[in-house]
Amino acid sequence: MPTPQAAELTARSIRKEFGEFVALDDVSLTIGRGAFVTLLGPSGSGKTTFLMVLAGFLPPTAGEVHQDGRDITALPPEARGFGMVFQGYALFPHMTVAENIAFPLKVSRRSGAEIRRRVAEMIEMVGLSGHGHKRPAALSGGQQQRVALARALACEPAVLLLDEPFSALDKNLRGQMQDEVRRLHREIGTTFVFVTHDQSEALALSSTVAIFDHGRLQQAGGPQEVYERPANRFVAEFLGDINILPISGAEAQGGVGHGRFEGRAIRASCGAAGATAALAVRPEHMRLELGEPAGGNAIPLSVTDLTYMGAETRLHLVSGGGTPVILSVPTAAMPAAVTPGAAVWAAWAEDRGFFL
Amino acid sequence: MRQITRSLVLLGPLLILLALAYILPFLGILRWSVTLPEPGLGQYRAALSDPLILSVFWRTLRICAVVTVLSVSAGYAVALLWVWGGPVARLLTELCIFIPFWISVLTRAFGWLSILSNRGLVNSWLEGAGLIAEPLALVRNEFGVIVGMTHFLIPFAVFPIASAMRSVDERVLMAARGMGAGRARIFWQVFLPMTLPGVLGAALLVFVFSIGFFVTPAILGGGRSVMVAELIYLRIFQSPDWGLAAAVSVILMIAIAGFLALLLRKMTPGDAR
C-alpha cells in the first residue's frame, strides 16, 4: 500500500571516481514507489557509495539521480528530505530519545504541539514507550536502532535510506529488527533502500535485490529471480551455495540446452543466452536417490562427508571425475544407508539447473 | 597484587624525587605558615583580612577567569582549524601550536613587551598611521598581563578540545545534515554540545595553570598588576615576611588542589558528566 508521498528514485548511468579508483561504474537502477530495495554486495563493491549518491552526500562523477522524474543530482542532502539510518546509528549522544526524534521536526519548523504529538507517535510505533527521557548511552543496541529508525521516519520522508543498520547486532536481535523493519515498511508504505552484505537478509526483506560487485550492478530483480535465475557466476555464488558442473558439448535448441557431464546426458532449460560449459544447481534443488532414477537429470556420486545442521543435513559428495557436489537433505528424510563412502545418485528437474 | 608491587618498583624513583623535591619543602612552608613569626594561625587571619592581599586574590581570580575564557574560545577556533581544516591549514596550525613550546616563557614575555610598550610595534604603527596622538597603555597593566598569559595558554586549551573534536562521529553530523539542519544549527545544537566535555576540561586545565603564573605577570604587569605568585615572591625577597608568604602559598596550594580534584573527576573515564 504505497502512500501518496512515497517517491520513485531513478539512477541513470551513475559513475563515481575517487582519484584513480572507480567506485561505481555505469549503474542504472529504478527504485519503484513504495518498493523495498536492498543493495547487496561484498565490502568494497560500491553499494554504500551508491546509497551515499542517492542520499546526496556524494556527488556522482557522471550520471543523474531523478526523484519522480525530477533531476535531483545537484540537490544537497539537506534539501532532499530523505530519512537516513546510518551504520552505528549516529544518534545525538547529548540528547534524550525524545529530543533525538524531535530534532528533524524542529529543523522543519513544525509547531510545538505537533512535535510533541509526532514524537509520542514515533516512540509508540517503534516500541520504546517509557524510554523517551533516556540518553542513547543508556539503551541497548536494538533500542538505539529503534531510535534511529524513529528519528529517520519522524518527518514522513518520501524515501528511507538504511546503511547496514543491523551489522552491529547479534543474530537473534537481527532477526527481530528485520521483522520490525518489514512491519514499518508495510505500515508506512514509503520507499525503502537498504544496504547490506548479508544475502539472507537481502532475500528475506526486499521486493527487489540489487547485487553489486566491483562498482558494477550485476543484477537487479526479485529475491526468487536473482536466487534461482542468477545473471552470472558472481551472483549465483554470492547468494548461496551452488554446485557448478562442467558440461561438454553444450548446445541449445528451442530454449533447452543439451550437453554431457562425465558422459551422462544432461538437459536444462536455458533462455536466449544459450548453453555454456558450466551448469549450476542449488544444493537444495538436488534430490538424493539411492539407485539410478528412471529419467531426468541424474549423476552418480560417492559420499565423502556429512554435516548435521539441525533441520537439514549437508552431504558432501564427489563425482567419478572429481567434481565436488553439495546436497542438502531434510534430516528427517535422511536414509540410514547414506554414510561416507556410500554410492548414491543426485537428480534434479530440468528447470532447476541453469547455464552460467 | 604482584602487578601493584611492580608498578610501585617502577614508579619508586619518581615518588622519591617528588617527596624530596616537592612534598618535603612544602611541609617546611606549611610549618613556617603556622610558626613565623610566632606559633598560631595569625598569618592566615592576616592574609584573609589584609585588604591589599585580598585585592591581589581578587585580581588573580579576575585575570585568570578572563584569560580562561579568552584562551578556551581562541583554543576552540584553533582546534577547529586543526581538526577540520584543509591539509595546508592543518600543517600551519600545527606549527603555530608547537613552535611556541620551544620558546622560553621569558623570551615570549619580552617579545610581547617589545610589541605592546609605548615605543613598541603597535603604538608606533598607530602613531605612524596618525590614528593616535599619545601611545596607548597596552602593557604594565592588566591588559598586558592578559595578552601575554592568553598567548601562553592557548595551546594548552587546544589539546583537550581537539581530542574531544576528533572523537565526534562524523556520521552524527551527516545525520543532522541529512535531516535538513544548516551549518549554524549543526554547530550550536550538535557539534558544540558534543565537544563540551573537552571545553570544560580545557577551561579547568587553563584556569589551574594560570593561577600560579609568575614570570608573565611580573614582566608584563610591571609591578602594577601583581598576582598571587608575585605577591609571595615580594613578601619573601623584598619585605621579609616569610610567615605571611608561606600562609598565602598554602592558600594558593589548597585552591589549586581543589580545582585539580575537579579536573581529575572530569577526566576520569566512565564517570563522564
Side-chain angles (χ1 to χ4, degrees):
Chain A
M1 179 198 64
T3 49
Q5 81 268 16
E8 179 188 80
L9 280 183
T10 312
R12 290 191 190 154
S13 303
I14 297 290
R15 183 180 178 82
K16 179 67 191 172
E17 296 167 8
F18 294 106
E20 294 281 288
F21 178 69
V22 180
L24 289 175
D25 186 5
D26 194 23
V27 175
S28 296
L29 180 67
T30 297
I31 295 160
R33 202 179 304 278
F36 193 134
V37 175
T38 46
L39 310 178
L40 174 68
S43 54
S45 59
K47 58 190 190 300
T48 297
T49 307
F50 186 61
L51 190 80
M52 290 298 167
V53 168
L54 292 182
F57 287 111
L58 286 177
T61 312
E64 291 175 357
V65 181
H66 290 240
Q67 178 183 354
D68 298 326
R70 190 167 60 101
D71 186 351
I72 57 163
T73 317
L75 219 55
E78 55 269 34
R80 294 193 185 190
F82 295 169
M84 181 138 181
V85 175
F86 288 82
Q87 207 172 356
Y89 322 134
L91 299 176
F92 303 125
H94 58 289
M95 297 184 196
T96 64
V97 168
E99 286 165 348
N100 262 283
I101 300 171
F103 186 86
L105 297 164
K106 282 183 189 152
V107 171
S108 54
R109 299 181 189 283
R110 309 281 179 98
S111 71
E114 198 194 339
I115 292 175
R116 273 190 300 280
R117 183 184 59 77
R118 188 80 185 131
V119 167
E121 222 173 82
M122 295 311 296
I123 288 180
E124 169 84 35
M125 183 163 85
V126 296
L128 281 177
S129 303
H131 297 285
H133 62 284
K134 290 185 186 167
R135 292 267 170 90
L139 302 177
S140 70
Q143 289 171 327
Q144 290 186 38
Q145 181 62 75
R146 288 161 198 266
V147 179
L149 278 167
R151 188 180 64 175
L153 290 169
C155 282
E156 296 167 315
V159 177
L160 179 69
L161 308 169
L162 305 104
D163 183 14
E164 305 225 19
F166 307 144
S167 59
L169 303 179
D170 64 52
K171 200 162 171 278
N172 287 336
L173 204 50
R174 236 180 135 103
Q176 269 178 38
M177 287 309 301
Q178 286 170 8
D179 292 344
E180 187 85 20
V181 164
R182 256 207 324 206
R183 178 180 66 82
L184 285 173
H185 179 248
R186 255 199 325 272
E187 281 177 16
I188 302 164
T190 195
T191 309
F192 277 39
V193 184
F194 185 107
V195 167
T196 181
H197 60 260
D198 181 333
Q199 75 280 5
S200 56
E201 190 165 272
L203 295 174
L205 286 175
S206 39
S207 54
T208 301
V209 184
I211 298 137
F212 285 76
D213 188 42
H214 288 107
R216 290 185 145 269
L217 179 60
Q218 303 292 325
Q219 188 178 4
Q224 196 169 356
E225 181 189 345
V226 294
Y227 185 76
E228 294 183 4
R229 291 276 165 230
N232 56 43
R233 191 163 180 150
F234 173 80
V235 174
E237 292 185 336
F238 192 73
L239 288 178
D241 288 324
I242 195 145
N243 295 307
I244 301 203
L245 308 175
I247 300 295
S248 58
E251 57 183 47
Q253 214 170 52
V256 180
H258 304 264
R260 294 192 162 269
F261 171 75
E262 294 178 6
R264 290 194 65 88
I266 300 291
R267 286 163 60 88
S269 46
C270 63
T276 62
L279 182 77
V281 190
R282 297 267 177 217
E284 67 277 15
H285 291 157
M286 280 183 164
R287 217 164 55 240
L288 178 70
E289 300 279 353
L290 294 177
E292 185 177 355
N297 295 314
I299 53 174
L301 299 159
S302 67
V303 179
T304 56
D305 199 10
L306 290 111
T307 313
Y308 174 76
M309 298 178 78
E312 63 169 38
T313 297
R314 303 214 115 192
L315 282 173
H316 298 265
L317 311 155
V318 67
S319 73
T323 304
V325 172
I326 300 172
L327 221 138
S328 94
V329 180
T331 302
M334 199 46 201
V338 176
T339 52
V344 295
W345 289 76
W348 66 95
E350 205 173 283
D351 60 350
R352 287 306 196 184
F354 47 88
F355 290 101
L356 286 179
Chain B
M1 201 57 217
R2 265 179 64 188
Q3 196 86 40
I4 294 171
T5 322
R6 250 181 56 175
S7 310
L8 273 181
V9 170
L10 286 173
L11 278 175
L14 181 65
L15 292 178
I16 291 166
L17 183 75
L18 273 181
L20 288 178
Y22 202 73
I23 297 173
L24 275 183
F26 184 72
L27 287 177
I29 286 176
L30 197 61
R31 200 181 51 150
W32 286 351
S33 74
V34 288
T35 54
L36 290 179
E38 62 208 24
L41 293 174
Q43 296 293 13
Y44 287 94
R45 260 196 300 278
L48 294 175
S49 60
D50 182 339
L52 184 76
I53 295 178
L54 280 179
S55 78
V56 171
F57 275 135
W58 282 124
R59 179 185 297 126
T60 306
L61 280 180
R62 187 174 62 231
I63 291 179
C64 291
V66 172
V67 165
T68 301
V69 170
L70 291 178
S71 311
V72 170
S73 313
Y76 200 91
V78 173
L80 262 181
L81 208 59
W82 193 22
V83 174
W84 290 98
V88 177
R90 229 178 261 209
L91 183 74
L92 285 177
T93 315
E94 214 156 290
L95 285 176
C96 292
I97 296 168
F98 283 103
I99 286 177
F101 272 121
W102 301 325
I103 301 171
S104 113
V105 58
L106 211 59
T107 316
R108 288 161 72 176
F110 280 117
W112 278 112
L113 205 57
S114 72
I115 292 172
L116 299 177
S117 68
N118 284 356
R119 292 169 161 199
L121 278 179
V122 174
N123 275 319
S124 38
W125 276 343
L126 289 177
E127 274 175 312
L131 291 172
I132 50 169
E134 291 287 303
L136 297 174
L138 301 176
V139 82
R140 293 186 199 289
N141 54 21
E142 264 184 47
F143 179 80
V145 175
I146 288 171
V147 168
M149 284 176 67
T150 304
H151 176 241
F152 188 88
L153 287 165
I154 287 172
F156 294 92
V158 168
F159 292 115
I161 294 174
S163 109
M165 285 179 181
R166 286 204 179 92
S167 66
V168 170
D169 184 351
E170 215 171 324
R171 283 174 299 194
V172 175
L173 306 179
M174 277 171 81
R177 208 181 145 202
M179 287 176 242
R183 293 175 72 100
R185 187 191 285 268
I186 294 176
F187 179 79
W188 291 107
Q189 294 186 7
V190 180
F191 191 69
L192 187 63
M194 283 177 79
T195 50
L196 213 53
V199 171
L200 291 179
L204 271 169
L205 186 75
V206 167
F207 189 76
V208 166
F209 208 170
S210 66
I211 291 178
F213 259 47
F214 173 68
V215 172
T216 309
I219 292 173
L220 295 173
R224 264 179 265 177
S225 177
V226 174
M227 286 173 63
V228 170
E230 197 182 352
L231 174 80
I232 295 167
Y233 169 85
L234 293 174
R235 290 294 159 125
I236 287 183
F237 289 96
Q238 292 191 357
S239 56
D241 194 353
W242 287 22
L244 189 70
V248 174
S249 302
V250 171
I251 292 169
L252 182 62
M253 190 67 197
I254 289 170
I256 290 178
F259 283 116
L260 270 179
L262 209 63
L263 181 68
L264 279 178
R265 263 191 41 194
K266 271 246 116 35
M267 296 286 187
T268 310
D271 190 33
R273 295 223 250 189

